[in-house]
Amino acid sequence: MASAIFVPYYAGLDLGQYLFSNISVRDNSPRKLVEFLTKTPEWKKMWGRDHFMVGGWVAWDFRRIRDDDNDGGPSSCAPRPGSPDSIRSELINQCKSSTKNCKFMGCDGSIYHCEKSPEKVMGLFQNSIFCLQPPGDAYTRRSTFDSILDGCIPVFFHPHTAYTQYWRYFPKNYRKYSVFISPNDIKEKWVFISEKLLGVSKEKVLEMREEVIRLISKVIYGDWSTTSAIGRKLEDAFDIAVKGLLERVENVRKKIRDGEDPSEGFAEENKREFDWLWKEVGY
């Protein structure tokens, strides 16, 4: 009778133990889980399409191109000098050359310093108007949410960093709360960050910061046991995730009832939703 079924298997915790082990070790727990689930009557109702779990890591970390023991594990170091598509080095150089307008906190070589001193990172965001969010090991960034919590306007360089990944949480009109700059413009030095951001009017900055502040409740997990009933009227990140999940499961369930193939177009669903965005930002 359940609308959806939560599987209490935390894939990120499991993968983290065996990321650099051979494939048979890495795949052992997931295979056992699949064997168990496929034998349950709940699974057979929709063949697992109504089951969900918590990944805990970005999806890219769970993928591999081939069954090779050497596959797996993200890139490292802040500038990403070995990645031809990375613009982080150029952004760092631009920031360091414009110390009057840009503050840079370097973490490469001292990553634990940043991790163990979150107050320094958050303090920097609180005292900044714009926060740069270039892709790193993955398109998504935890820093995006830190900046929103501090009322700092995020500056994105790829649609996947926020627009296509978190469309249930953020406004469809991305200009309301963020700035987008094409990475190609950075690589070719057609755009300089300080000039671009200083060109945003004070009125527009105030509007965008107000929108960012309105997003705060959507990117946190509220402790509603200590919150008044009035505060509970706001949807938090958990509410939005579960609501979206149930909608997606119900769409699949309807396809099955109508005799359609529920897997057809499943992976391309979000891509079709954002065709207009890809064209607008030049991808």
Side-chain angles (χ1 to χ4, degrees), residues 147-204:
S147 68
I148 289 174
L149 291 176
D150 286 314
C152 188
I153 301 167
V155 180
F156 297 121
F157 302 88
H158 197 287
H160 278 338
T161 304
Y163 306 149
T164 62
Q165 297 268 7
Y166 302 105
W167 57 275
R168 292 186 184 275
Y169 300 81
F170 300 154
K172 187 173 183 179
N173 181 359
Y174 62 89
R175 293 189 180 90
K176 292 178 67 175
Y177 71 97
S178 69
V179 174
F180 180 82
I181 300 175
S182 168
N184 194 51
D185 289 347
I186 300 296
K187 291 177 187 175
E188 301 297 334
K189 294 183 172 58
W190 293 332
V191 170
F192 290 92
I193 302 298
S194 58
E195 293 178 5
K196 174 78 173 181
L197 299 182
L198 286 171
V200 182
S201 69
K202 292 182 178 180
E203 293 78 12
K204 180 62 176 176

Coordinates of all heavy atoms in Angstrom, one line a residue, residues 147-204:
S147 N 26.9 29.3 0.6 CA 26.8 30.7 0.2 C 25.4 31.2 0.4 O 25.1 32.3 0.8 CB 27.3 30.9 -1.2 OG 26.4 30.3 -2.1
I148 N 24.4 30.3 0.0 CA 23.0 30.7 0.2 C 22.6 30.9 1.6 O 21.9 31.9 2.0 CB 22.1 29.6 -0.4 CG1 22.2 29.7 -2.0 CG2 20.6 29.8 0.0 CD1 21.5 28.5 -2.7
L149 N 23.1 30.1 2.5 CA 22.9 30.2 4.0 C 23.4 31.6 4.5 O 22.9 32.1 5.5 CB 23.5 29.1 4.8 CG 22.9 27.7 4.6 CD1 23.7 26.7 5.3 CD2 21.4 27.7 5.0
D150 N 24.5 32.1 3.8 CA 25.1 33.4 4.3 C 24.6 34.5 3.4 O 25.1 35.7 3.6 CB 26.6 33.3 4.2 CG 27.2 32.4 5.3 OD1 26.7 32.6 6.4 OD2 28.0 31.6 5.0
G151 N 23.6 34.3 2.6 CA 23.0 35.4 1.8 C 23.9 35.9 0.7 O 23.8 37.1 0.2
C152 N 24.9 35.1 0.3 CA 25.8 35.5 -0.8 C 25.3 35.0 -2.1 O 25.0 33.8 -2.3 CB 27.2 34.9 -0.5 SG 28.5 35.5 -1.5
I153 N 25.3 35.8 -3.1 CA 24.8 35.5 -4.4 C 25.7 34.6 -5.2 O 26.9 34.9 -5.4 CB 24.6 36.8 -5.3 CG1 23.6 37.7 -4.6 CG2 24.1 36.4 -6.7 CD1 23.6 39.1 -5.1
P154 N 25.3 33.4 -5.5 CA 26.2 32.4 -6.2 C 26.4 32.8 -7.7 O 25.5 33.3 -8.3 CB 25.5 31.1 -6.1 CG 24.0 31.4 -6.0 CD 24.0 32.8 -5.2
V155 N 27.7 32.6 -8.1 CA 28.0 32.8 -9.5 C 28.4 31.4 -10.1 O 29.4 30.8 -9.6 CB 29.2 33.8 -9.6 CG1 29.6 34.0 -11.1 CG2 28.9 35.1 -8.9
F156 N 27.6 31.0 -11.1 CA 27.8 29.7 -11.6 C 28.5 29.7 -13.0 O 28.3 30.7 -13.7 CB 26.5 28.9 -11.8 CG 25.8 28.7 -10.4 CD1 24.5 29.2 -10.2 CD2 26.4 28.0 -9.4 CE1 23.9 29.0 -8.9 CE2 25.8 27.8 -8.2 CZ 24.6 28.3 -8.0
F157 N 29.1 28.6 -13.4 CA 29.9 28.5 -14.6 C 29.4 27.3 -15.4 O 30.0 27.0 -16.5 CB 31.4 28.5 -14.4 CG 31.9 29.7 -13.6 CD1 31.8 29.7 -12.2 CD2 32.3 30.8 -14.3 CE1 32.3 30.8 -11.5 CE2 32.7 31.9 -13.6 CZ 32.7 32.0 -12.2
H158 N 28.5 26.5 -14.9 CA 27.9 25.4 -15.6 C 26.5 25.2 -15.2 O 26.2 25.2 -14.0 CB 28.8 24.1 -15.4 CG 28.5 23.1 -16.4 ND1 27.4 22.3 -16.4 CD2 29.3 22.6 -17.4 CE1 27.4 21.5 -17.5 NE2 28.6 21.6 -18.1
P159 N 25.6 24.9 -16.1 CA 24.2 24.7 -15.7 C 24.0 23.6 -14.7 O 23.0 23.6 -13.9 CB 23.5 24.4 -17.1 CG 24.4 25.0 -18.1 CD 25.8 24.9 -17.6
H160 N 24.8 22.5 -14.8 CA 24.6 21.4 -13.9 C 25.0 21.7 -12.4 O 24.6 20.9 -11.5 CB 25.5 20.2 -14.3 CG 25.0 19.4 -15.5 ND1 23.6 19.4 -15.8 CD2 25.5 18.6 -16.4 CE1 23.4 18.6 -16.8 NE2 24.5 18.1 -17.2
T161 N 25.7 22.8 -12.2 CA 26.0 23.1 -10.8 C 24.8 23.3 -9.9 O 24.8 23.0 -8.8 CB 27.0 24.3 -10.7 OG1 28.1 24.0 -11.5 CG2 27.5 24.5 -9.3
A162 N 23.8 23.9 -10.5 CA 22.5 24.2 -9.8 C 21.3 24.1 -10.6 O 20.3 23.5 -10.2 CB 22.6 25.6 -9.1
Y163 N 21.3 24.7 -11.8 CA 20.0 24.9 -12.5 C 19.3 23.6 -12.9 O 18.1 23.5 -12.7 CB 20.3 25.7 -13.8 CG 21.0 27.0 -13.6 CD1 21.9 27.5 -14.5 CD2 20.8 27.7 -12.4 CE1 22.6 28.7 -14.3 CE2 21.5 28.9 -12.2 CZ 22.4 29.4 -13.2 OH 23.0 30.6 -12.9
T164 N 20.1 22.6 -13.4 CA 19.4 21.3 -13.8 C 19.4 20.3 -12.6 O 18.6 19.4 -12.7 CB 20.2 20.7 -15.0 OG1 21.5 20.4 -14.6 CG2 20.2 21.6 -16.2
Q165 N 20.3 20.5 -11.7 CA 20.3 19.5 -10.5 C 19.2 19.8 -9.5 O 18.7 18.9 -8.9 CB 21.7 19.6 -9.9 CG 22.8 19.2 -10.8 CD 23.2 17.7 -10.7 OE1 22.4 17.0 -10.0 NE2 24.2 17.3 -11.3
Y166 N 19.0 21.1 -9.2 CA 18.1 21.5 -8.1 C 16.9 22.3 -8.5 O 16.5 23.3 -7.9 CB 19.0 22.3 -7.1 CG 20.2 21.5 -6.6 CD1 21.5 21.8 -7.0 CD2 20.0 20.4 -5.7 CE1 22.5 21.0 -6.6 CE2 21.1 19.7 -5.3 CZ 22.4 20.0 -5.7 OH 23.4 19.2 -5.3
W167 N 16.4 21.9 -9.7 CA 15.3 22.7 -10.2 C 14.0 22.7 -9.3 O 13.1 23.5 -9.5 CB 14.9 22.2 -11.6 CG 14.6 20.8 -11.8 CD1 15.5 19.8 -11.9 CD2 13.3 20.2 -11.8 NE1 14.8 18.6 -12.0 CE2 13.5 18.8 -11.9 CE3 12.0 20.7 -11.7 CZ2 12.4 17.9 -12.0 CZ3 10.9 19.8 -11.8 CH2 11.1 18.5 -11.9
R168 N 13.9 21.7 -8.5 CA 12.8 21.7 -7.5 C 12.9 22.7 -6.4 O 12.0 23.0 -5.7 CB 12.5 20.3 -7.0 CG 12.1 19.2 -8.0 CD 11.8 17.9 -7.3 NE 11.4 16.9 -8.3 CZ 10.2 16.7 -8.8 NH1 9.2 17.5 -8.4 NH2 10.0 15.8 -9.7
Y169 N 14.2 23.1 -6.2 CA 14.5 23.9 -5.0 C 14.7 25.4 -5.4 O 14.3 26.3 -4.6 CB 15.8 23.4 -4.4 CG 15.7 22.0 -3.9 CD1 15.9 20.9 -4.8 CD2 15.5 21.7 -2.5 CE1 15.8 19.6 -4.3 CE2 15.4 20.4 -2.1 CZ 15.6 19.4 -3.0 OH 15.5 18.1 -2.6
F170 N 15.2 25.6 -6.6 CA 15.5 27.0 -7.0 C 14.6 27.5 -8.1 O 14.0 26.7 -8.8 CB 17.0 27.1 -7.5 CG 18.0 26.6 -6.5 CD1 19.2 26.1 -6.9 CD2 17.8 26.7 -5.1 CE1 20.2 25.7 -6.0 CE2 18.7 26.4 -4.2 CZ 19.9 25.9 -4.6
P171 N 14.4 28.8 -8.2 CA 13.6 29.4 -9.2 C 14.0 29.0 -10.6 O 15.2 28.9 -10.9 CB 13.7 30.9 -9.1 CG 14.2 31.1 -7.6 CD 15.0 29.9 -7.4
K172 N 13.1 28.8 -11.5 CA 13.4 28.4 -12.9 C 14.1 29.6 -13.6 O 15.1 29.3 -14.4 CB 12.1 28.1 -13.7 CG 12.4 27.6 -15.1 CD 11.1 27.1 -15.8 CE 11.4 26.5 -17.1 NZ 10.1 26.0 -17.8
N173 N 13.7 30.8 -13.2 CA 14.5 32.0 -13.7 C 15.7 32.1 -12.9 O 15.7 32.8 -11.8 CB 13.6 33.2 -13.6 CG 14.3 34.5 -14.2 OD1 15.4 34.4 -14.6 ND2 13.6 35.6 -14.2
Y174 N 16.8 31.6 -13.4 CA 18.1 31.6 -12.6 C 18.6 33.0 -12.4 O 19.4 33.2 -11.4 CB 19.1 30.7 -13.3 CG 19.5 31.2 -14.7 CD1 20.6 32.1 -14.9 CD2 18.8 30.7 -15.8 CE1 20.9 32.5 -16.1 CE2 19.2 31.1 -17.1 CZ 20.2 32.0 -17.2 OH 20.6 32.4 -18.5
R175 N 18.2 33.9 -13.2 CA 18.7 35.3 -13.0 C 18.2 36.0 -11.7 O 18.7 37.0 -11.3 CB 18.4 36.2 -14.2 CG 19.1 35.8 -15.5 CD 18.8 36.8 -16.6 NE 19.5 36.4 -17.9 CZ 18.9 35.7 -18.8 NH1 17.7 35.2 -18.6 NH2 19.5 35.4 -19.9
K176 N 17.2 35.4 -11.2 CA 16.6 36.0 -10.0 C 17.5 35.8 -8.7 O 17.4 36.7 -7.8 CB 15.2 35.3 -9.6 CG 14.1 35.7 -10.7 CD 12.8 34.9 -10.3 CE 12.2 35.5 -9.0 NZ 10.9 34.8 -8.8
Y177 N 18.3 34.8 -8.7 CA 19.1 34.5 -7.5 C 20.6 34.3 -7.8 O 21.4 34.1 -6.9 CB 18.6 33.3 -6.8 CG 18.8 32.0 -7.5 CD1 19.9 31.2 -7.1 CD2 18.0 31.6 -8.5 CE1 20.1 30.0 -7.8 CE2 18.2 30.4 -9.2 CZ 19.3 29.6 -8.8 OH 19.5 28.4 -9.5
S178 N 21.0 34.3 -9.1 CA 22.4 34.0 -9.4 C 22.9 34.7 -10.6 O 22.1 35.3 -11.4 CB 22.5 32.5 -9.6 OG 21.9 32.1 -10.8
V179 N 24.2 34.6 -10.8 CA 24.8 35.1 -12.1 C 25.5 33.9 -12.8 O 26.1 33.0 -12.2 CB 25.9 36.1 -11.7 CG1 26.7 36.5 -13.0 CG2 25.3 37.3 -11.0
F180 N 25.3 33.9 -14.1 CA 25.9 32.8 -14.9 C 26.9 33.4 -15.8 O 26.7 34.4 -16.5 CB 24.9 32.0 -15.7 CG 25.5 30.9 -16.5 CD1 25.7 29.7 -16.0 CD2 25.8 31.1 -17.9 CE1 26.3 28.7 -16.7 CE2 26.4 30.1 -18.6 CZ 26.6 28.9 -18.0
I181 N 28.1 32.8 -15.9 CA 29.2 33.2 -16.8 C 29.7 32.0 -17.5 O 30.0 31.0 -16.9 CB 30.3 33.9 -16.0 CG1 29.9 35.1 -15.2 CG2 31.5 34.3 -17.0 CD1 30.9 35.7 -14.4
S182 N 29.7 32.1 -18.8 CA 30.2 30.9 -19.6 C 31.7 30.7 -19.4 O 32.5 31.6 -19.4 CB 30.0 31.3 -21.1 OG 30.7 30.3 -21.9
P183 N 32.0 29.4 -19.1 CA 33.4 29.1 -18.9 C 34.3 29.4 -20.1 O 35.5 29.7 -19.9 CB 33.4 27.6 -18.6 CG 32.1 27.1 -19.2 CD 31.2 28.2 -19.1
N184 N 33.8 29.3 -21.3 CA 34.5 29.7 -22.5 C 34.9 31.1 -22.5 O 36.0 31.5 -22.9 CB 33.7 29.3 -23.8 CG 34.6 29.3 -25.0 OD1 35.6 28.7 -25.0 ND2 34.2 30.1 -26.0
D185 N 34.1 32.0 -22.0 CA 34.4 33.4 -21.9 C 35.5 33.6 -20.9 O 36.3 34.6 -21.1 CB 33.2 34.2 -21.4 CG 32.1 34.3 -22.4 OD1 32.4 34.0 -23.6 OD2 30.9 34.7 -22.1
I186 N 35.6 32.8 -19.9 CA 36.7 32.9 -18.9 C 38.0 32.4 -19.6 O 39.1 33.0 -19.5 CB 36.4 32.1 -17.6 CG1 35.2 32.6 -17.0 CG2 37.6 32.1 -16.7 CD1 35.3 34.0 -16.4
K187 N 38.0 31.2 -20.2 CA 39.1 30.6 -20.9 C 39.8 31.6 -21.9 O 41.0 31.7 -22.0 CB 38.8 29.3 -21.5 CG 38.4 28.2 -20.6 CD 38.0 27.0 -21.4 CE 37.5 25.9 -20.5 NZ 37.0 24.7 -21.3
E188 N 38.9 32.2 -22.7 CA 39.3 33.1 -23.8 C 39.6 34.5 -23.3 O 40.0 35.4 -24.1 CB 38.3 33.1 -24.9 CG 38.0 31.8 -25.5 CD 39.2 31.2 -26.2 OE1 40.1 31.9 -26.6 OE2 39.3 29.9 -26.3
K189 N 39.4 34.7 -22.0 CA 39.6 36.0 -21.4 C 38.7 37.1 -22.0 O 39.1 38.3 -22.1 CB 41.1 36.4 -21.4 CG 42.0 35.5 -20.6 CD 43.4 36.0 -20.6 CE 44.3 35.2 -19.6 NZ 44.3 33.8 -19.8
W190 N 37.5 36.7 -22.4 CA 36.6 37.7 -22.9 C 35.8 38.4 -21.8 O 35.3 39.4 -22.0 CB 35.6 37.0 -23.9 CG 36.2 36.4 -25.1 CD1 37.3 36.9 -25.8 CD2 35.7 35.3 -25.9 NE1 37.6 36.2 -26.9 CE2 36.6 35.2 -27.0 CE3 34.7 34.4 -25.8 CZ2 36.5 34.2 -28.0 CZ3 34.5 33.4 -26.7 CH2 35.4 33.3 -27.8
V191 N 35.8 37.7 -20.7 CA 35.1 38.3 -19.5 C 36.0 38.2 -18.3 O 36.7 37.2 -18.0 CB 33.8 37.4 -19.2 CG1 33.2 37.9 -17.8 CG2 32.8 37.6 -20.2
F192 N 36.1 39.3 -17.6 CA 36.8 39.4 -16.3 C 35.8 39.5 -15.2 O 34.9 40.4 -15.2 CB 37.8 40.6 -16.3 CG 38.9 40.4 -17.3 CD1 38.9 40.9 -18.6 CD2 40.1 39.7 -16.9 CE1 39.9 40.7 -19.5 CE2 41.1 39.5 -17.8 CZ 41.0 40.0 -19.1
I193 N 36.0 38.6 -14.2 CA 35.0 38.5 -13.1 C 34.7 39.8 -12.5 O 33.5 40.2 -12.3 CB 35.5 37.5 -12.1 CG1 35.7 36.1 -12.7 CG2 34.4 37.3 -11.0 CD1 34.5 35.5 -13.4
S194 N 35.7 40.5 -12.1 CA 35.5 41.8 -11.3 C 34.6 42.8 -12.1 O 33.7 43.4 -11.6 CB 36.8 42.4 -10.9 OG 37.6 42.7 -12.0
E195 N 35.0 42.9 -13.4 CA 34.2 43.8 -14.3 C 32.8 43.4 -14.4 O 31.8 44.2 -14.4 CB 34.9 43.9 -15.7 CG 36.3 44.6 -15.6 CD 36.9 44.6 -17.0 OE1 36.2 44.2 -18.0 OE2 38.1 45.0 -17.1
K196 N 32.6 42.1 -14.6 CA 31.2 41.5 -14.8 C 30.4 41.8 -13.6 O 29.2 42.3 -13.7 CB 31.3 40.0 -15.1 CG 30.0 39.3 -15.2 CD 29.3 39.5 -16.5 CE 28.1 38.6 -16.6 NZ 27.4 38.8 -17.9
L197 N 30.9 41.5 -12.4 CA 30.1 41.6 -11.2 C 29.9 43.0 -10.7 O 28.9 43.4 -10.1 CB 30.7 40.7 -10.1 CG 30.8 39.2 -10.4 CD1 31.4 38.5 -9.3 CD2 29.4 38.7 -10.8
L198 N 30.9 43.9 -10.9 CA 30.8 45.3 -10.6 C 29.8 46.0 -11.5 O 29.3 47.0 -11.1 CB 32.2 46.0 -10.7 CG 33.2 45.7 -9.6 CD1 34.6 46.2 -9.9 CD2 32.7 46.2 -8.2
G199 N 29.5 45.4 -12.6 CA 28.5 45.9 -13.5 C 27.1 45.7 -13.1 O 26.2 46.2 -13.7
V200 N 26.9 44.8 -12.1 CA 25.5 44.6 -11.6 C 25.1 45.7 -10.7 O 25.8 46.1 -9.8 CB 25.4 43.2 -10.8 CG1 24.0 43.0 -10.4 CG2 26.0 42.1 -11.7
S201 N 23.9 46.3 -11.0 CA 23.5 47.5 -10.3 C 23.2 47.2 -8.8 O 22.9 46.0 -8.5 CB 22.2 48.1 -11.0 OG 21.1 47.2 -10.8
K202 N 23.2 48.2 -8.0 CA 22.9 48.0 -6.6 C 21.5 47.5 -6.4 O 21.2 46.7 -5.5 CB 23.2 49.3 -5.8 CG 24.6 49.7 -5.7 CD 24.8 51.0 -4.9 CE 26.3 51.3 -4.8 NZ 26.5 52.6 -4.0
E203 N 20.6 48.0 -7.2 CA 19.2 47.6 -7.1 C 19.0 46.1 -7.4 O 18.3 45.4 -6.7 CB 18.3 48.4 -8.0 CG 18.2 49.9 -7.7 CD 19.4 50.7 -8.1 OE1 20.3 50.2 -8.8 OE2 19.5 51.9 -7.6
K204 N 19.7 45.7 -8.5 CA 19.6 44.3 -8.8 C 20.3 43.4 -7.8 O 19.8 42.3 -7.5 CB 20.4 44.1 -10.2 CG 20.3 42.6 -10.7 CD 18.9 42.1 -10.9 CE 19.0 40.7 -11.5 NZ 17.6 40.2 -11.7

